[in-house]
Amino acid sequence: MRRLPILRAAVAALLLTAALNATGGGAAAVEPTEARPSASTELLDAMREDLGLTRHQTEQRLAAERTAVKTERRAKRVAGSAYGGSWFEPARGRLVVAVTDEKQAAEVRALGADTRLVRHSAALLDRVKSRIDALSAPAGVAGWHVDPRANRVVVTVVRADRHSQDVRAFVDRARRAGPIVVSETERAPLTYAAGTVGGDPYYTGNVRCSIGFSVHGGFVTAGHCGRAGAAVRGWDGSAMGTFQGSSFPGDDYAYVSIHSGWWTVPVVLGWGTVPDRLVRGSAEAPIGASICRSGSTTRWHCGTVLAKNETVNYSQGAVHQMTKTSVCAEGGDSGGSFISGDQAQGVTSGGWGNCSAGSETWFQPVNEILGRYGLTLHTA
């Protein structure tokens, strides 16, 4: 059995005695479970540093976000076809739900959410985005997503290329698909794989990436890190597993099965910044909620959810249904864990910028990956 480094040994000894299990085959994906209150002093300190909050504000925000996750699911059912999307307002600690009909708005308010009357339903905006997905985007277009706050599809272009003929032509075609608004960004997104560096979680070929989340039988990670059939080496260089499924571009996710001598644990590494985080489920955090990321290069960083269901236009091709965040990342962080409280959110795909000057980063939602490969998240 392989040697564990000190950090992982502490996890195994102190947290996971009852949770360690032998490897096994995949099973049907489970429903997301409710978030539990779970915030250590170190986690609160990390969020204070990255989000600029006091300790009391951080505790209040986490409590409000747990409520918002539950309210959002109920609001979607109550609003029905009038649902226009939702987001969390950190300043007021409230979930806001967009609706196209005042009758449904009253019913949503009764759940404890605020409402905003809008013209377009979420279903209509999703159809508009799907039409844009069918277009071929030039390199000067960074991506596009449904923004419930703007009640439009936002098309993001690289500022230096905004007046180029191919970008302007793409935006014109997007306008014909339905209600859009154009925003600008400094740089196009890139994936976060990196060349081999010793001592980090896993390698395939000469690429280093990061483990996302343990599932029964292996782990999920980013698809651009390896193709189906590719061999995986662990942090110590020994044979670890094999990519059983991988999709990129179009999607950016993969499933790696692990060999005898390795096991799965429901943990996200805190890298000494925060205690290692137990994973208890995969309830999806709303737009505006706080979120943290663990990766093998930049370790642990936090930020907020900026957008969902965004199409990201990498140089290798477009990737759909991504979630955009303000969390920084760098090369080698690809595939790593995005987590909100104790709830798994997704695996790191790519972005722009770095952890010195700030950046934006996208992840592929974990529930989509579980459903695609019929996997069960390993939870505590």
Side-chain angles (χ1 to χ4, degrees):
M1 190 168 291
R2 68 181 179 91
R3 176 180 61 83
L4 293 175
I6 294 173
L7 185 61
R8 292 168 177 80
V11 172
L14 298 177
L15 299 176
L16 304 175
T17 301
L20 292 174
N21 71 311
T23 61
V30 295
E31 287 295 317
T33 57
E34 297 289 344
R36 302 180 186 179
S38 177
S40 66
T41 299
E42 294 87 351
L43 175 61
L44 295 174
D45 288 344
M47 291 183 64
R48 285 167 56 195
E49 181 177 349
D50 285 341
L51 299 177
L53 305 174
T54 67
R55 181 185 177 91
H56 180 62
Q57 288 172 331
T58 302
E59 291 173 337
Q60 286 187 316
R61 177 162 176 169
L62 288 172
E65 288 175 357
R66 287 192 291 269
T67 299
V69 168
K70 293 183 285 189
T71 304
E72 185 180 44
R73 293 200 296 267
R74 296 169 185 153
K76 287 180 181 179
R77 292 194 296 267
V78 168
S81 61
Y83 180 71
S86 55
W87 61 95
F88 179 74
E89 290 282 2
R92 295 188 298 118
R94 301 275 291 181
L95 182 75
V96 182
V97 180
V99 289
T100 61
D101 184 89
E102 177 57 39
K103 179 181 178 181
Q104 273 70 35
E107 295 180 9
V108 169
R109 287 193 293 270
L111 297 175
D114 294 336
T115 59
R116 180 183 296 176
L117 281 175
V118 296
R119 180 178 180 182
H120 308 296
S121 70
L124 182 146
L125 294 177
D126 285 342
R127 289 194 295 271
V128 172
K129 180 182 175 295
S130 293
R131 296 185 193 114
I132 300 174
D133 284 344
L135 303 176
S136 178
V141 176
W144 50 95
H145 68 273
V146 173
D147 185 348
R149 287 167 289 201
N151 199 226
R152 297 285 192 277
V153 174
V154 177
V155 177
T156 304
V157 301
V158 178
R159 184 168 290 115
D161 298 323
R162 66 188 185 279
H163 296 309
S164 68
Q165 183 175 353
D166 55 355
V167 168
R168 293 175 65 179
F170 179 88
V171 170
D172 287 343
R173 292 195 299 272
R175 291 190 193 283
R176 291 195 289 273
I180 72 162
V181 63
V182 178
S183 70
E184 297 180 359
T185 186
E186 287 297 326
R187 282 175 282 175
L190 303 170
T191 55
Y192 282 131
T196 300
V197 176
D200 280 309
Y202 84 89
Y203 309 88
T204 177
N206 64 347
V207 170
R208 169 171 56 86
C209 282
S210 302
I211 293 172
F213 294 96
S214 285
V215 297
H216 291 291
F219 62 86
V220 293
T221 186
H224 71 264
C225 291
R227 292 304 185 196
V232 172
R233 306 187 310 281
W235 64 272
D236 59 357
S238 66
M240 183 182 194
T242 305
F243 277 85
Q244 296 298 325
S246 178
S247 180
F248 179 80
D251 309 293
D252 193 7
Y253 51 61
Y255 163 51
V256 175
S257 65
I258 55 176
H259 299 325
S260 175
W262 295 79
W263 56 83
T264 63
V265 291
V267 166
V268 171
L269 293 176
W271 298 103
T273 302
V274 300
D276 298 336
R277 308 296 297 163
L278 287 172
V279 178
R280 300 189 185 276
S282 55
E284 186 178 332
I287 292 171
S290 61
I291 194 167
C292 297
R293 180 196 53 73
S294 180
S296 61
T297 297
T298 58
R299 308 295 177 89
W300 183 272
H301 287 277
C302 299
T304 57
V305 178
L306 300 178
K308 295 185 179 183
N309 192 24
E310 178 154 8
T311 297
V312 179
N313 191 38
Y314 293 128
S315 61
Q316 301 94 327
V319 176
H320 309 294
Q321 296 179 312
M322 303 276 272
T323 297
K324 180 181 182 180
T325 79
S326 64
V327 188
C328 70
E330 296 179 14
D333 287 327
S334 279
S337 321
F338 268 91
I339 188 167
S340 181
D342 55 12
Q343 300 293 301
Q345 299 297 308
V347 301
T348 305
S349 174
W352 61 266
N354 56 54
C355 289
S356 298
S359 68
E360 292 176 335
T361 300
W362 285 262
F363 68 81
Q364 187 92 66
V366 70
N367 288 326
E368 180 184 358
I369 309 172
L370 300 177
R372 170 62 178 83
Y373 295 117
L375 302 170
T376 299
L377 187 68
H378 189 170
T379 56

